[in-house]
Amino acid sequence: MGMGRAIGIGRQDFEKIRVSHNFYIDKTDFIRKWWETEDEVTLITRPRRFGKTLNMSMVEKFFSVEYAGRGDLFQGLHIWEGTSADGEETTDAMGKGDKYRKLQGTYPVIFLSFADVKETTFQEARKKICKLLQLTYNKFDFLLKSDLLNENEKGDFQKISPEMENYMASLSLKLLSAYLSRYYGKKAIILLDEYDTPMQEAYINGYWKEMADFIRSFFNSTFKTNPYLERAVLTGITRISKESIFSDLNNLKVITTTSEKYADCFGFTEEEVFAALEEYGLSGQEQQVKDWYDGFSFGKKRDIYNPWSIISFFR
């Protein structure tokens, strides 16, 4: 049996995986691909357990000023070494990844997940979202101590709570982006993981219309009329129809399982799986893995494997 890196099941925090030297398949080329498209708002849909949260965590740790000087997390990975996922040198390779090394840790990043919003009534779900917004604000409460906010703005900052009115909730991330860009002199990157969980629960529990209205105005303020937004990524399992919650977002790039873009960035390619089998001294089991897990197709990329299944297999 080969001695591979320790395997953590269900680990979704990029920093923990890297610091613990856990098994990790390098998906950092996604950072370059995404940054170079210059799409303002990107929605990526993938089935459950395809590494969406881990990739969002990776993007956060790469760009966030809170991780300035943490190039160690990316050392040896594609984005740092100026290589692409298929082993080619990127245009950046001349400077050995220099362009991206300079980008690391230079943006205010707002990272939010709706994964926990599974309430059975609209009132409770709305409160949960507002609580998550408040917790997001809490991470930046150093803004309250700075001289950059006037009294009104400080008052608004403190209005963010589970009980806040809808208009405040919908404006909350736009306001936070404004404060952060004033503080850092740079527009914010916003990452929203599992955007569609509240919508699925609303559908099942019969409060779709209220939730759609609420989310639509929240998305409009956050992603459409937000002058302090650099870029945003939303991930989810389903693509909710454009009319219902994205009606105003003409700056939205939608990447579904049929899109060519980022096809190999979520889930493991067959080459990656076979290389990992070798690392764990399991060469010779390729056919078994193929038979058991029979890869998915994204875009023209065939044989993309569910990371959770593969990692469970190694265990």
Side-chain angles (χ1 to χ4, degrees):
M1 168 74 194
M3 281 301 293
R5 292 161 286 175
I7 293 175
I9 288 265
R11 284 210 142 169
Q12 299 183 314
D13 184 307
F14 180 80
E15 181 184 13
K16 279 188 189 151
I17 287 176
R18 296 291 292 161
V19 169
S20 313
H21 303 290
N22 284 156
F23 173 72
Y24 174 66
I25 285 182
D26 186 351
K27 295 293 170 185
T28 59
D29 201 33
F30 171 70
I31 297 167
R32 177 184 64 87
K33 286 177 176 164
W34 172 64
W35 197 249
E36 288 178 7
T37 61
E38 301 191 2
D39 294 326
E40 195 174 12
V41 184
T42 306
L43 166 65
I44 301 172
T45 64
R46 286 292 182 271
R48 283 182 198 289
R49 298 189 157 159
F50 261 88
K52 296 186 293 292
T53 302
L54 178 56
N55 273 0
M56 292 285 258
S57 171
M58 167 188 81
V59 170
E60 179 198 22
K61 268 63 176 182
F62 186 78
F63 285 101
S64 172
V65 286
E66 290 176 57
Y67 284 81
R70 292 304 310 275
D72 58 298
L73 297 176
F74 295 91
Q75 252 157 18
L77 300 178
H78 296 309
I79 194 71
W80 212 248
E81 305 309 325
T83 53
S84 70
D86 39 27
E88 298 298 308
E89 293 208 328
T90 64
T91 47
D92 191 31
M94 299 307 293
K96 258 293 182 234
D98 237 22
K99 171 183 167 189
Y100 286 96
R101 290 180 185 192
K102 288 194 182 101
L103 259 182
Q104 197 278 321
T106 58
Y107 279 89
V109 177
I110 299 170
F111 185 10
L112 190 67
S113 171
F114 281 170
D116 291 340
V117 185
K118 296 188 166 165
E119 277 53 32
T120 53
T121 67
F122 174 64
Q123 279 327 103
E124 289 303 304
R126 194 196 88 85
K127 263 193 194 149
K128 175 72 77 73
I129 291 172
C130 292
K131 184 65 189 175
L132 292 169
L133 290 165
Q134 185 186 42
L135 292 171
T136 305
Y137 262 70
N138 286 355
K139 281 168 58 182
F140 302 106
D141 61 6
F142 58 83
L143 291 165
L144 277 175
K145 300 178 185 79
S146 79
D147 301 333
L148 289 175
L149 307 192
N150 66 36
E151 291 313 302
N152 283 340
E153 290 168 328
K154 285 180 181 174
D156 282 346
F157 198 107
Q158 282 157 329
K159 271 193 197 125
I160 306 296
S161 75
E163 285 73 40
M164 65 180 150
E165 292 182 59
N166 280 354
Y167 81 92
M168 271 312 278
S170 68
L171 284 171
S172 57
L173 291 193
K174 182 181 188 167
L175 295 174
L176 187 55
S177 316
Y179 305 152
L180 286 169
S181 66
R182 199 181 303 167
Y183 189 88
Y184 290 110
K186 248 178 163 178
K187 295 179 180 187
I189 291 171
I190 300 180
L191 306 172
L192 175 56
D193 199 26
E194 297 214 33
Y195 87 96
D196 53 340
T197 303
M199 300 307 304
Q200 288 171 356
E201 295 299 322
Y203 184 76
I204 295 164
N205 291 296
Y207 56 88
W208 173 270
K209 180 157 178 1
E210 295 99 313
M211 184 53 86
D213 290 345
F214 179 80
I215 295 285
R216 188 186 310 111
S217 73
F218 174 65
F219 281 6
N220 187 42
S221 298
T222 306
F223 302 117
K224 175 70 170 82
T225 62
N226 185 352
Y228 313 101
L229 175 68
E230 179 62 43
R231 309 229 185 134
V233 184
L234 295 83
T235 62
I237 291 159
T238 48
R239 176 188 181 170
I240 290 168
S241 77
K242 196 127 165 89
E243 305 70 60
S244 57
I245 59 175
F246 296 119
S247 53
D248 305 323
L249 299 193
N250 54 10
N251 58 340
L252 179 72
K253 175 81 184 161
V254 181
I255 310 287
T256 63
T257 50
T258 57
S259 312
E260 296 298 313
K261 250 185 185 171
Y262 314 132
D264 58 357
C265 298
F266 295 80
F268 300 164
T269 64
E270 193 158 272
E271 301 82 64
E272 289 167 339
V273 171
F274 290 177
L277 284 172
E278 202 168 305
E279 177 181 345
Y280 290 97
L282 297 170
S283 296
Q285 307 219 26
E286 287 84 358
Q287 196 51 50
Q288 190 184 352
V289 167
K290 269 181 93 71
D291 296 344
W292 280 11
Y293 299 115
D294 185 38
F296 292 68
S297 294
F298 296 144
K300 290 199 183 89
K301 263 280 187 214
R302 306 199 64 74
D303 299 317
I304 297 275
Y305 291 82
N306 179 323
W308 192 82
S309 308
I310 297 299
I311 286 172
S312 304
F313 176 82
F314 290 154
R315 275 294 265 263

